[in-house]
Amino acid sequence: MLDVGDGHLVYWEVCGNPDGKPAVTLHGGPGTGCSTGLRRYFDPDRYRVVLFDQRGCGRSTPHAGEPEADLSANTTDHLIADMELLRERLGIEKWLIFGGSWGSVLALVYAERYPDRVSEMVLMGLATGRRRETDLLTRGLGGVFPEAWARFRDGVPEEDRDGDLAAAYHKLLMDPDPVVHEKAAADWCAWEDAVIPTSPPYKSFESPKFRLAFARLVTHYWSQGSFLDEGVVLREAKKLAHIPAVLAEGSLDLGNLVGTPWELAHAWPGSELVIIDEVGHSTQDEPMRDVLIGATDRFAS
């Protein structure tokens, strides 16, 4: 457990070869926590793999799934600072960054702020933290999944249904009444499952505590524009020109509808975009696994 200040302790672990190539994994969400599965994309003989649970989730404390939670010290800047503190604590000069979905946003922000600390990057389920990306997921996909979206929209008070749905849900999720925040968490997570039709329901959503932490953290970040200046990740992608990268994206990932993978690859000189047919927003499909493992194997040398 790493004391990162503000009353937060961040869980971390190191796997593989103590003398191997350093790599850090950044989980999605925000709020899913790291899993043992993230280790499996790395050859344990060649990599020293660092995993950690971002503030408020997984085994980090305080947990956002407690009945009452304070998220005031949980922002993108805080998470970036936690990464730097962990890197310094472990005595790592440079590390490969591996991240997906929200993890790809965090990876990109970190690399743009600390480009000399990054050796390579392997990203999937690509996102840059823009409002247009999160607006797509909360409102734009309503025409694709009309019945599920109607249930999702109707989970907030009528006066909030034409506004920022992430903000409306966040207000309900932070309500101290368990009846209110537990229903909001269930409604939010049901929509999350609905917009990834190529994958089975997310098993972790069966846990009420996980649902609440996940929904609180996602809506906290999305309602604040991921605590980033709009479009800053793409504008500053040129800073990454010297960093080798594989950007893996499923052709059926609905995030493609706003063009993020192509815009990112175009803005990042030297990056390699790999589009994987018949794969959605998931690392579990074999073709995606093959691309990710192929990338880490290549970068191991």
Side-chain angles (χ1 to χ4, degrees):
M1 302 297 284
L2 180 67
D3 187 341
V4 294
D6 310 304
H8 283 266
L9 295 175
V10 166
Y11 171 87
W12 62 273
E13 63 183 60
V14 178
C15 312
N17 183 348
D19 298 318
K21 180 185 181 71
V24 63
T25 68
L26 304 181
H27 64 71
T32 62
C34 66
S35 67
T36 56
L38 287 172
R39 308 169 184 164
R40 301 179 66 192
Y41 298 98
F42 298 89
D43 182 338
D45 291 329
R46 296 195 284 174
Y47 275 99
R48 178 189 182 196
V49 186
V50 180
L51 300 90
F52 73 100
D53 292 328
Q54 295 159 27
R55 292 191 185 202
C57 68
R59 288 148 289 189
S60 295
T61 61
H63 197 273
E66 298 297 334
E68 295 185 7
D70 179 4
L71 303 183
S72 60
N74 197 324
T75 69
T76 302
D77 286 347
H78 286 103
L79 301 187
I80 296 297
D82 295 349
M83 289 178 64
E84 269 297 271
L85 187 61
L86 181 57
R87 183 191 62 78
E88 292 170 357
R89 174 67 59 87
L90 295 174
I92 293 172
E93 181 180 355
K94 285 188 175 186
W95 48 11
L96 177 149
I97 301 184
F98 182 97
S101 195
W102 161 252
S104 68
V105 179
L106 193 59
L108 289 163
V109 175
Y110 177 89
E112 290 176 356
R113 294 185 186 179
Y114 300 101
D116 294 336
R117 301 302 186 192
V118 181
S119 58
E120 300 91 9
M121 299 177 74
V122 180
L123 307 179
M124 76 293 308
L126 303 168
T128 65
R130 292 178 297 171
R131 288 272 188 176
R132 66 181 303 194
E133 296 165 3
T134 55
D135 287 348
L136 170 72
L137 297 174
T138 55
R139 188 171 294 278
L141 293 178
V144 182
F145 307 104
E147 185 175 359
W149 186 77
R151 290 193 296 268
F152 173 65
R153 177 202 59 203
D154 292 349
V156 304
E158 187 172 359
E159 62 269 20
D160 294 331
R161 292 174 188 171
D162 293 330
D164 184 337
L165 289 174
Y169 264 97
H170 188 66
K171 182 178 179 181
L172 298 175
L173 289 158
M174 300 306 291
D175 191 295
D177 185 345
V179 174
V180 175
H181 64 236
E182 288 175 9
K183 180 182 184 302
D187 289 344
W188 181 275
C189 292
W191 173 245
E192 289 267 357
D193 271 338
V195 298
I196 310 180
T198 56
S199 297
Y202 191 33
K203 195 167 182 61
S204 294
F205 285 163
E206 295 174 6
S207 163
K209 183 176 181 180
F210 181 96
R211 285 199 305 263
L212 184 57
F214 175 85
R216 278 176 169 171
L217 287 167
V218 172
T219 56
H220 173 61
Y221 276 78
W222 287 11
S223 63
Q224 298 297 324
S226 302
F227 298 96
L228 297 170
D229 292 338
E230 183 65 12
V232 67
V233 168
L234 288 176
R235 289 197 303 274
E236 298 193 355
K238 57 184 177 294
K239 294 180 179 180
L240 310 177
H242 69 290
I243 301 175
V246 171
L247 311 177
E249 185 78 356
S251 63
L252 301 181
D253 190 327
L254 294 174
N256 296 340
L257 294 175
V258 293
T260 296
W262 296 273
E263 291 180 83
L264 179 60
H266 180 74
W268 185 347
S271 63
E272 176 187 349
L273 176 61
V274 182
I275 302 296
I276 305 162
D277 289 340
E278 300 183 10
V279 170
H281 192 75
S282 171
T283 58
Q284 301 306 308
D285 295 292
E286 186 174 352
M288 176 65 81
R289 293 200 307 266
D290 289 346
V291 169
L292 299 176
I293 292 171
T296 59
D297 280 352
R298 188 202 324 169
F299 291 145
S301 58

